[in-house]
Amino acid sequence: MSRLGNLGARLYRGEVGYDFIGNRKIWYGISILITITAIVALAVSGLNMGIEFKGGAVFTTPKTSVTVASAETLATDASGHQAIVQKLGNGGLRIQITEVDTAKSDQIKSQLSKDLGVPAEKIAADLVGPSWGEQIANKAWTGLGVFMVLVVIYLAIAFEWRMAIAALVALIHDITITVGVYALVGFEVTPGTVIGLLTILGYSLYDTVVVFDSLKEGTQGITKQTRWTYSEIANRSINGTLVRSINTTVVALLPVAGLLFIGGGVLGAGMLNDISLALFVGLAAGAYSSIFIATPLVADLKERDPQMKALKKRILAKRAAAAAKGELSEAEQAEQGIPEDVEPAAAVVGQRQEPPRGHGRTSGKRR
Amino acid sequence: MAAPKKGRGPAGGQGRPGRALALILMAMVALTGGMFLAHQPTPRLGIDLAGGTSITLEAKAEPGQESAINKTNMDTAVQIMERRVNGLGVSEAEVQTQGNRNIIVNIPKGTNSAQARAQVGTTAKLYFRPVLTVAQGTPTPAPSASSSDKASPSASPSSSASDKATSPSGKPSASATTQGRAVTGGLKADTSPTPAASSAPTASAEEQAAAAKLQKQFEELDCSSRASRSKAALGVKPTDTVVACSSEGDAKYVLGPAEVSGTEVDSAKANFDQQRGMWIVQMEFSGKGSKQFQTITKKLSAQQSPQNQFAIALDGEVVSAPQVNETLSGSAEISGSFTQQSAEELANVLSYGALPLSFTEQSVTTVTAALGGEQLRAGLIAGAIGLALVVIYLVAYYRGLALIALLSLLVSGILTYTLMSLLGPAIGFALNLPAVCGAIVAIGITADSFIVYFERIRDEIREGRTLRPAVERAWPRARRTILVSDFVSFLAAAVLFVVTVGKVQGFAFTLGLTTLLDVVVVFLFTKPVMTLMARTKFFASGHPWSGLDPKRLGAKPPLRRSRRVNAPTDPKEA
């Protein structure tokens, strides 16, 4: 861990750094690939909707000696529909029967209690009409829409519109990935999943906002200097907040992991598991997108700004002039080494901790 | 938690950490004290954790009647359902509206959930039945407080004003509210005030026979408790002669077969009659209803007291039993000793009986107490494991600083717990499984804030600052980041809470609450404690285990003494 702390220090000083912005096309590519995969998976296999969306019943029995296979036959006979039976961690059974209405499910319950030899009042039942899930889903969509509008407005005020757009793209990206994972793996989608997905909204933005906050601070008065381009500062912001992003993500994931394994381990399936699974996937996606998508996107948008274009031109001219004079600092030498790159390689530029004003430092001083 | 601000706020200001700490300590003591004073040492548990049945109903409008689903009607429906469910002998069943068209009925464990469902989901049944016998609400025949001599037994063609004057004296029993009201025609309604004397003997004979059959049942009927009142109302058919209690339990009745159904009431309104200076309820009948009503009032107005009354029976309970003084048809008014509230209630009941608002079951969840307990345990274990993992991580990474983080988490936990306990009785908050989940997830959110602050402090130390200035300099920036990101979290929770239904709301509520508390804790606890800790030798000297060791953090020697003025392009992290 202390090694990570050490890395934190080196990241902070810019001794090490990764060129997130420079390689952004790779990340965009990866994300587009993931998104396409998600959409294809969604189109091909679709989502495995839980009974809340199809209508049906879930019965949970206390510990019983009836085997899963025979319970399945009994439940299928009792309902006339295919039953799915799972064994739970406590020895009970979870019997799921889709497409029965709430009235019918009462009969099934009493039939099951007879067949399984379990008193009816000891069987927990979750009976859902077919339009319940639809109502939840509709509300969720409304929530998603309202939240996105509000967050874009807020971020546009607190930061600027480019950041708001980038955050929105990252958010949509996270949700797409999460939904895609659900489609690919075939996890069941329940109201718990919807809850989890909606919670990602806040979480995904948490990391993004932290990086943006740093970026905003770093780029104050950017036009008054001629040393760093916007992209370079953005890259430093990412690197500087990297340890923090990792830490906050790990700390956020740990309780969710606890939920996931306890929810899955002890109770087999249920609300805890559904929420935590969606959160787990979404949080991981959220951490990724705040580093690899949101900030590079801001840099991309910002570099289109005429002011930033002019700044970059000035900086490049200055660097070229310095190079011509032969006063090449180590960092600048490295920059020259990558002539094809549209952006000056930020990773190496970041190799100095000194304030940009400090001029003409000898390369050896830092070590 | 608005837009990021710069500059130093008063909370947790540099020199006075004690004040903030005293404030939060007082808040904690007050909340904990309040919790025990209110006898709410634990949060109220939701159905999914405590066991019980939760029914979600959605209002369905008849085509062309969509506007019937409005707040007033939903509230009336909630009242009626509450009456029904609690009538089953369940204590503390709760019925709430949720969203625009949902009603959630939560019935704690130990109830016949099938019966509850049957009671709750159906539309209210309202009937007008003739009163055959009246007695006081308890089985023991109590002496009548006022002998039942009627002032005007037969139809009186007099004005409404005189009807009103006579009606209070006509009370058959001591009860005040539900009886003794007079029904008269509206101003334009008294078309044929002819008393129909002929029908009296036959009807009375018939009804006496029915009453005899019901005599035993009637004598045993106990209207004193809500449960027994509802029991009497169970399985009542409109065509039967039945026994019934008044909804307040102060009177019991033998009622004839239903003569008019509540669905025939077109509208009912509570009005203040300026001329007479009293509250009245006016109702209008449909075409069929007015004919039926004319028949019954014609019959009743010829009777002696108490048989000149008809009962307005809602779900088998008598809401009101006004006397009839004349034959009425299309519109009628009920006058008597109404207050504004009781008049409006009766009007609501009358309207609701006619309302095309029916409910369909969206979901019914029955959780056994055993399963509920198990889920609560699983949730708590999950929370404990999650917390332990976070603690291990924080200690491993932040060393001594983790102590501050842990204390802050503890404070946050205490505040959350006490608030949840207090919010149970205050706003009906019930801790359900998603809410537990939200609280666990919130551990991460709360810890995030400390990480933001700690990393900031460490960055300042890397700049070469000593701890005390580092703590103060790190704060304004960390504060801004924390506020902005907590605002986003809170926004998400608030939006979730407003637009969602059911279980999602519990989750959103917890998340929003803990996010708010996070801000409180960071401002009033973490920052001041950090300031205090910076004064201790252990932290200030950068002990290897303090998590603030400048060497380990890679601070640049030589240590910088003074700070450069804000370099605009200094790409320092936020």
Side-chain angles (χ1 to χ4, degrees):
Chain A
M1 286 298 167
S2 62
R3 196 157 296 167
L4 190 56
N6 202 6
L7 177 68
R10 294 174 57 196
L11 280 169
Y12 178 73
R13 283 197 298 273
E15 284 171 14
V16 287
Y18 189 81
D19 190 8
F20 293 100
I21 305 279
N23 293 330
R24 67 191 185 287
K25 297 220 165 99
I26 299 175
W27 312 125
Y28 292 169
I30 290 174
S31 283
I32 290 169
L33 206 68
I34 296 175
T35 310
I36 290 173
T37 316
I39 291 169
V40 168
L42 203 58
V44 173
S45 53
L47 290 171
N48 175 15
M49 301 306 255
I51 56 136
E52 284 84 355
F53 294 94
K54 289 189 274 193
V58 176
F59 302 99
T60 313
T61 69
K63 196 173 167 135
T64 160
S65 54
V66 181
T67 63
V68 169
S70 62
E72 212 159 83
T73 324
L74 288 171
T76 307
D77 289 349
S79 62
H81 289 276
Q82 183 60 46
I84 301 162
V85 180
Q86 289 168 278
K87 194 103 186 164
L88 297 181
N90 59 5
L93 295 175
R94 183 173 187 266
I95 303 165
Q96 191 175 327
I97 303 162
T98 49
E99 286 164 47
V100 291
D101 58 20
T102 47
K104 180 101 196 285
S105 58
D106 261 1
Q107 298 169 23
I108 300 173
K109 183 177 171 181
S110 52
Q111 187 62 42
L112 274 177
S113 105
K114 249 186 258 163
D115 290 346
L116 298 176
V118 179
E121 60 267 26
K122 291 223 168 139
I123 299 179
D126 208 335
L127 324 171
V128 187
S131 57
W132 178 230
E134 202 178 303
Q135 203 187 338
I136 289 185
N138 283 342
K139 298 251 180 184
W141 285 119
T142 318
L144 192 65
V146 171
F147 177 75
M148 281 179 170
V149 170
L150 289 180
V151 137
V152 165
I153 293 171
Y154 175 73
L155 290 181
I157 294 169
F159 299 109
E160 60 168 312
W161 64 267
R162 290 179 190 85
M163 291 186 180
I165 287 176
L168 188 65
V169 170
L171 197 62
I172 294 170
H173 168 264
D174 295 344
I175 291 171
T176 318
I177 290 185
T178 313
V179 172
V181 167
Y182 268 78
L184 268 180
V185 185
F187 294 132
E188 202 177 19
V189 177
T190 65
T193 315
V194 176
I195 297 176
L197 202 65
L198 290 173
T199 314
I200 300 169
L201 301 179
Y203 249 134
S204 159
L205 280 168
Y206 197 104
D207 279 345
T208 310
V209 164
V210 170
V211 183
F212 281 0
D213 200 36
S214 152
L215 184 55
K216 185 190 175 191
E217 195 182 314
T219 54
Q220 263 172 3
I222 184 172
T223 50
K224 295 189 192 96
Q225 51 89 41
T226 52
R227 201 153 180 91
W228 315 104
T229 66
Y230 193 92
S231 296
E232 286 159 6
I233 295 178
N235 201 53
R236 280 208 56 163
S237 293
I238 302 175
N239 278 305
T241 48
L242 197 57
V243 171
R244 194 160 62 205
S245 291
I246 292 169
N247 277 349
T248 49
T249 305
V250 167
V251 164
L253 277 175
L254 287 176
V256 175
L259 266 183
L260 187 59
F261 295 119
I262 287 299
V266 176
L267 294 173
M271 184 64 90
L272 283 180
N273 214 4
D274 297 336
I275 297 179
S276 49
L277 185 64
L279 273 179
F280 198 86
V281 177
L283 279 179
Y288 166 81
S289 73
S290 66
I291 295 171
F292 293 97
I293 302 298
T295 316
L297 212 54
V298 170
D300 250 359
L301 287 171
K302 197 76 183 178
E303 292 286 3
R304 271 164 220 209
D305 189 53
Q307 260 190 319
M308 292 300 136
K309 267 188 187 158
L311 175 70
K312 192 169 151 191
K313 217 167 157 187
R314 285 206 302 276
I315 290 168
L316 289 181
K318 196 177 152 209
R319 282 178 192 165
K325 275 191 211 160
E327 289 179 14
L328 292 184
S329 77
E330 196 182 309
E332 282 151 352
Q333 272 171 355
E335 271 153 32
Q336 307 270 313
I338 316 163
E340 295 297 337
D341 203 336
V342 191
E343 312 287 337
V348 252
V349 166
Q351 275 196 352
R352 59 175 81 208
Q353 132 81 7
E354 282 74 22
R357 270 198 217 130
H359 236 310
R361 287 221 170 86
T362 55
S363 50
K365 192 185 171 188
R366 231 166 298 118
R367 298 277 146 84
Chain B
M1 7 214 326
K5 268 177 258 157
K6 278 223 149 185
R8 285 174 183 138
Q14 308 191 44
R16 290 192 288 270
R19 247 187 225 185
L21 286 175
L23 194 66
I24 200 159
L25 194 71
M26 267 160 57
M28 277 162 68
V29 169
L31 283 173
T32 316
M35 187 174 84
F36 284 107
L37 279 180
H39 300 292
Q40 289 290 333
T42 51
R44 213 156 59 90
L45 292 182
I47 291 296
D48 52 356
L49 294 180
T53 301
S54 176
I55 307 169
T56 309
L57 299 155
E58 190 186 4
K60 288 265 193 265
E62 308 273 309
Q65 300 275 351
E66 277 78 11
S67 63
I69 301 180
N70 54 39
K71 195 175 177 304
T72 318
N73 287 343
M74 290 294 281
D75 286 347
T76 312
V78 165
Q79 277 173 24
I80 289 170
M81 284 182 194
E82 198 158 33
R83 242 162 40 94
R84 290 179 180 182
V85 176
N86 285 329
L88 293 171
V90 195
S91 56
E92 293 180 28
E94 50 171 53
V95 184
Q96 302 170 319
T97 52
Q98 209 162 48
N100 299 327
R101 49 196 309 152
N102 288 305
I103 290 182
I104 306 240
V105 183
N106 284 328
I107 306 156
K109 65 190 169 211
T111 319
N112 184 342
S113 67
Q115 196 186 21
R117 279 174 64 195
Q119 285 281 303
V120 148
T122 47
T123 316
K125 293 182 207 82
L126 179 72
Y127 293 108
F128 295 84
R129 292 167 175 269
V131 172
L132 304 182
T133 317
V134 183
Q136 283 204 331
T138 44
T140 21
S144 223
S146 69
S147 59
S148 54
D149 52 331
K150 279 251 325 147
S152 54
S154 62
S156 67
S158 56
S159 71
S160 308
S162 79
D163 279 343
K164 174 210 69 181
T166 57
S167 54
S169 66
K171 282 183 195 174
S173 81
S175 79
T177 45
T178 55
Q179 297 151 328
R181 280 161 196 155
V183 179
T184 60
L187 290 174
K188 50 189 179 312
D190 52 342
T191 43
S192 54
T194 337
S198 62
S199 63
T202 43
S204 143
E206 239 172 59
E207 286 152 10
Q208 290 303 334
K213 249 198 301 182
L214 287 163
Q215 193 62 42
K216 195 164 179 287
Q217 203 185 338
F218 182 57
E219 272 164 17
E220 282 169 0
L221 183 61
D222 180 7
C223 293
S224 58
S225 82
R226 182 156 254 204
S228 57
R229 291 207 293 275
S230 301
K231 216 195 279 169
L234 282 181
V236 162
K237 281 200 206 100
T239 50
D240 289 346
T241 299
V242 294
V243 297
C245 292
S246 75
S247 56
E248 266 122 33
D250 49 14
K252 56 183 178 178
Y253 301 86
V254 178
L255 303 175
E259 302 273 355
V260 187
S261 159
T263 50
E264 304 300 336
V265 178
D266 260 352
S267 71
K269 270 192 285 252
N271 280 326
F272 188 74
D273 188 320
Q274 297 284 357
Q275 287 180 341
R276 287 176 285 167
M278 62 191 293
W279 282 93
I280 56 170
V281 177
Q282 286 178 311
M283 50 183 175
E284 300 278 335
F285 285 95
S286 67
K288 186 178 146 207
S290 61
K291 279 199 201 79
Q292 291 173 333
F293 196 62
Q294 192 173 354
T295 316
I296 184 181
T297 48
K298 191 175 172 189
K299 206 162 71 182
L300 289 175
S301 59
Q303 304 277 334
Q304 295 287 316
S305 173
Q307 284 161 10
N308 66 342
Q309 289 176 284
F310 69 81
I312 300 170
L314 179 76
D315 287 335
E317 282 183 24
V318 178
V319 181
S320 183
Q323 302 165 28
V324 183
N325 295 331
E326 59 199 280
T327 308
L328 304 166
S329 60
S331 65
E333 74 174 46
I334 305 174
S335 59
S337 48
F338 283 121
T339 60
Q340 178 175 3
Q341 197 194 349
S342 63
E344 275 166 2
E345 268 171 20
L346 181 60
N348 255 351
V349 163
L350 287 168
S351 308
Y352 187 73
L355 205 70
L357 197 64
S358 62
F359 289 88
T360 51
E361 282 180 349
Q362 287 294 321
S363 79
V364 183
T365 308
T366 310
V367 177
T368 62
L371 185 67
E374 212 171 298
Q375 292 191 322
L376 178 60
R377 205 161 47 243
L380 293 180
I381 293 172
I385 289 178
L387 190 62
L389 289 172
V390 168
V391 167
I392 291 170
Y393 186 83
L394 287 177
V395 169
Y397 191 79
Y398 287 112
R399 307 276 171 110
L401 282 180
L403 182 72
I404 296 169
L406 292 188
L407 284 176
S408 308
L409 278 175
L410 188 72
V411 170
S412 182
I414 292 173
L415 289 176
T416 310
Y417 183 86
T418 49
L419 272 176
M420 276 180 172
S421 302
L422 285 171
L423 285 175
I427 61 162
F429 172 81
L431 190 69
N432 58 11
L433 206 51
V436 170
C437 200
I440 294 170
V441 168
I443 297 173
I445 291 191
T446 311
D448 276 0
S449 307
F450 310 146
I451 291 174
V452 167
Y453 186 31
F454 293 163
E455 283 297 326
R456 265 296 197 186
I457 294 174
R458 285 157 72 117
D459 286 347
E460 295 293 333
I461 288 174
R462 282 172 188 141
E463 292 272 308
R465 260 172 218 101
T466 53
L467 184 60
R468 279 171 77 165
V471 163
E472 297 311 322
R473 282 195 50 80
W475 174 239
R477 293 160 164 201
R479 179 178 65 198
R480 194 184 60 179
T481 312
I482 291 169
L483 282 181
V484 173
S485 39
D486 269 350
F487 181 80
V488 171
S489 288
F490 185 78
L491 193 65
V495 168
L496 257 182
F497 184 79
V498 171
V499 302
T500 53
V501 285
K503 293 166 179 170
V504 185
Q505 269 197 325
F507 183 82
F509 185 85
T510 323
L511 214 57
L513 179 71
T514 47
T515 307
L516 282 181
L517 286 179
D518 176 43
V519 176
V520 172
V521 169
V522 168
F523 273 69
L524 295 184
F525 187 81
T526 312
K527 164 66 178 56
V529 165
M530 196 65 230
T531 307
L532 286 182
M533 289 296 182
R535 294 174 187 169
T536 63
K537 192 164 168 284
F538 177 76
F539 282 102
S541 66
H543 189 279
W545 269 97
S546 67
L548 293 165
D549 181 5
K551 262 191 237 110
R552 200 184 284 269
L553 289 176
K556 237 181 1 139
L559 296 186
R560 199 185 292 154
R561 296 265 132 50
S562 66
R563 186 175 144 66
R564 189 178 356 110
V565 235
N566 237 355
T569 55
D570 190 357
K572 200 176 302 134
E573 71 174 306

